[in-house]
Amino acid sequence: MSVLITNVFAVDGDGRGDALVDVRVTGDRIAAITPAASGGSDASGEATAVGASVIDGDGRLLLPGFVDAHSHAGGLLGDPEVPLALLRQGVTTVVSGQDGVGSAPGDGRYAGEYFAAIDGPNGGYDGGGIAALLAAADGASALNLATLVPAGTVRFEVMGRSTAAATADELDAMAALVAEGLAQGAVGLSTGLDYVPGIFASTDELTALARPLADAGGVFVSHMRGGYESGSAAGIAELAAISRGSGAPIHVSHFHAEPHLLLGLLDQLDADGIDATFDAYPYGRGCSLLGMPILPAALSVLPVDRVLATLRDPVERERLLTEWFPTIVDYPSLGPDWPSMLTFAHIAAPEYDWAHGCTVAEASARGGASPAEFALDVLVASRLEVTVVMAVQVERRDADLRRILAHPAAMGGSDGIFIGRHPHPRARGTFARYLDLLVGGGDGDRGGVLDWAQAAALCSTRAVDRFGLGERGRVRPGAIADLVLVDPARVRDRASYDEPLRLAEGIDDVLVGGVPVLAGGLVTGAAPGRGIRRSGIRPSTDRSAGGEP
């Protein structure tokens, strides 16, 4: 297949061209970049003569396809609405297996139970490890899929639901699973240290699991322990210790804290010689499982039916209400007003459908129960499949977000969750909001922090380099043609906390592997996406003919 993109300004993380160019794509690669033909007519005529399709860039910017460095869309790429929402933001690759919980290794059973409200189904995976997960992604959707080895799932495969410290033999078995996943193409190891079973892993255990990363070129990616915000210093100290003990570089997932704290911690890591990067979504609120902040970890780790039996038992419920719930006010992101800070995003129980978009305080008042009792009732009715949008005690202003995201170690990550009637707007708005908030027109609180080359680095090039995603992430001859056309005058997010399902604007044409997958703002139905194996890792089948290095 041959495509000619005419009259564009080429931009990547290394710079922006000053003159209009035509970009010829042959197969899955950029074949040539030449000065734009006058008005595009000569180039279009030539393209027609050789059977190439033509996309009129009309003076737009041509950027490398964006990489969502923290995504929960991996199992949902077969749902037409999910690729559309991502492509409208310019996202062409997602990195899955986040927060220490994922389908592979194993049979996907644990992730399918515990993270059902976050990750959804397993996307066709039913066992076979990282290699099978990536193979299933080849030709299955419009987007590329990379994955991390999830440390919590690894712990579950070796130790089940144990809350105990790992033995030497268990550490060896877990490290072997990590090494196997890396050998099959995973780009790193993820942890979720506020989730189960990751919360039970010690720093020494995590260091042992991280050691295979240093030799393989993978990254230690962590949802830190302690709820972020005021707890971030302890979380960063632990990651630094893991890096020093393992030799692995670190990447902080969805780093959120007050700017002076966050930036100061990054400066300290740099001063200590720790190789560190981070992703952060451009919003002031978070989103997670309702059970994560409001249930004890020792309860959450049990099988669902045992958790539900405990929540239904009058004696056990009373113990939770009187002994446990008073302690959740110390969770760094919440505080004593937690019922007003949690808004229902997804409730699996149909009888509570009316509560979507309500805070726990609002819904409990309507339901005639205390907030704590109402939250437990909803969890029981939904078999724990409930997520909430989480406000924080000190919500980030746009000016704060601009300071954080301008940091050279930042990269784009939405933490987008697509399950739910009233989800967080970050799933459909993150990357368009980066461009509007950080580049924009440079007036007021919009734009002027980054130029377009720096925005391309934030949204694409840095993640490609950090995670070894192959010869993509740049607009140059020979690069894989994951490409996005951006109208700088129109690009913006439209999703909001009140209307979270609205799609982004200003990106109407996207190519993945040289194939148009979004044209005129609509998906084309093409499925050129690949399972991306970390650079240097090749799949074992003929599916490697997708241009991966």
Side-chain angles (χ1 to χ4, degrees):
M1 181 175 186
S2 183
V3 178
L4 182 67
I5 307 170
T6 64
N7 298 309
V8 292
F9 293 99
V11 186
D12 62 23
D14 298 326
R16 171 187 170 172
D18 295 326
L20 288 169
V21 295
D22 296 335
V23 178
R24 182 179 296 281
V25 175
T26 301
D28 66 350
R29 303 270 173 165
I30 297 174
I33 300 177
T34 58
S38 176
S41 58
D42 294 344
S44 298
E46 177 190 350
T48 302
V50 299
S53 60
V54 178
I55 299 173
D56 182 2
D58 193 26
R60 287 177 285 174
L61 307 178
L62 184 69
L63 275 67
F66 300 159
V67 177
D68 191 339
H70 189 106
S71 175
H72 291 287
L76 298 166
L77 294 180
D79 179 343
E81 291 188 8
V82 174
L84 174 62
L86 291 166
L87 293 171
R88 287 281 291 264
Q89 300 173 67
V91 175
T92 58
T93 298
V94 299
V95 182
S96 67
Q98 301 286 349
D99 298 318
V101 182
S103 299
D107 60 8
R109 175 168 47 100
Y110 183 70
E113 175 187 289
Y114 181 53
F115 254 31
I118 290 180
D119 284 351
N122 289 327
Y125 172 85
D126 57 6
I130 296 294
L133 181 73
L134 293 173
D138 288 339
S141 81
L143 279 81
N144 303 311
L145 173 73
T147 194
L148 301 156
V149 180
T153 300
V154 166
R155 192 178 217 268
F156 178 82
E157 289 299 310
V158 172
M159 300 179 62
R161 299 178 187 274
S162 172
T163 64
T167 66
D169 287 344
E170 288 168 338
L171 285 176
D172 288 344
M174 287 191 282
L177 276 179
V178 173
E180 179 182 72
L182 293 169
Q184 293 175 358
V187 298
L189 175 73
S190 80
T191 71
L193 303 182
D194 284 332
Y195 294 108
V196 297
I199 197 171
F200 303 114
S202 67
T203 304
D204 288 344
E205 175 182 321
L206 297 169
T207 301
L209 267 61
R211 288 193 178 106
L213 297 168
D215 291 335
V219 183
F220 187 87
V221 178
S222 187
H223 170 128
M224 298 190 300
R225 200 185 309 270
Y228 290 80
E229 297 298 323
S230 61
S232 294
I236 288 292
E238 181 176 37
L239 295 191
I242 291 167
S243 180
R244 283 191 291 266
S246 66
I250 63 172
H251 179 86
V252 185
S253 294
H254 44 64
F255 201 174
H256 56 88
E258 292 187 64
H260 72 276
L261 175 60
L262 185 153
L263 298 174
L265 290 170
L266 291 172
D267 288 344
Q268 187 60 55
L269 288 171
D270 184 58
D272 291 343
I274 303 296
D275 182 0
T277 54
F278 72 99
D279 61 73
Y281 45 81
Y283 298 88
R285 304 177 191 176
C287 184
S288 191
L289 298 172
L290 173 61
M292 187 265 282
I294 74 165
L295 294 181
L299 176 61
S300 293
V301 77
L302 300 175
V304 170
D305 286 336
R306 288 186 60 187
V307 177
L308 298 181
T310 299
L311 299 185
R312 292 188 182 108
D313 182 271
V315 174
E316 294 298 328
R317 176 178 280 223
E318 184 62 22
R319 182 177 291 116
L320 284 172
L321 292 172
T322 59
E323 298 178 12
W324 170 255
F325 267 86
T327 71
I328 71 172
V329 301
D330 296 325
Y331 190 80
S333 297
L334 297 178
D337 196 31
W338 68 268
S340 297
M341 301 177 76
L342 302 180
T343 299
F344 286 111
H346 169 61
I347 303 173
E351 62 266 37
Y352 288 103
D353 187 68
W354 58 267
H356 285 106
C358 297
T359 66
V360 173
E362 292 166 342
S364 63
R366 176 173 167 181
S370 73
E373 289 178 296
F374 185 83
L376 295 179
D377 288 342
V378 172
L379 285 171
V380 169
S382 302
R383 294 186 59 81
L384 309 183
E385 192 178 328
V386 184
T387 56
V388 286
V389 174
M390 304 170 67
V392 296
Q393 295 180 59
V394 182
E395 190 162 324
R396 302 291 85 78
R397 300 170 301 160
D398 283 357
D400 296 333
L401 295 169
R402 294 166 81 211
R403 285 182 62 196
I404 291 167
L405 291 164
H407 195 283
M411 60 184 67
S414 72
D415 198 9
I417 298 171
F418 288 89
I419 307 295
R421 287 275 309 280
H422 199 89
H424 195 294
R426 66 194 187 194
R428 290 167 175 82
T430 287
F431 283 80
R433 182 162 165 76
Y434 286 139
L435 302 182
D436 184 31
L437 181 67
L438 303 174
V439 186
D443 26 322
D445 286 334
R446 316 302 292 181
V449 176
L450 302 181
D451 61 27
W452 282 102
Q454 292 166 328
L458 172 76
C459 294
S460 179
T461 309
R462 288 177 194 156
V464 168
D465 293 347
R466 186 64 160 173
F467 293 109
L469 301 181
E471 296 174 331
R472 46 178 55 80
R474 288 176 172 83
V475 183
R476 63 179 56 166
I480 296 172
D482 293 349
L483 299 169
V484 175
L485 283 100
V486 177
D487 183 341
R490 293 179 50 238
V491 66
R492 63 183 178 275
D493 58 307
R494 299 181 69 234
S496 66
Y497 294 118
D498 291 330
E499 297 182 273
L501 301 179
R502 301 178 73 184
L503 299 179
E505 294 181 342
I507 295 175
D508 295 324
D509 293 279
V510 178
L511 285 74
V512 171
V515 177
V517 291
L518 189 75
L522 302 175
V523 292
T524 66
R530 314 298 298 175
I532 300 179
R533 291 81 178 168
R534 196 183 69 262
S535 293
I537 303 295
R538 297 194 65 90
S540 59
T541 71
D542 289 338
R543 287 178 171 175
S544 63
E548 296 306 318

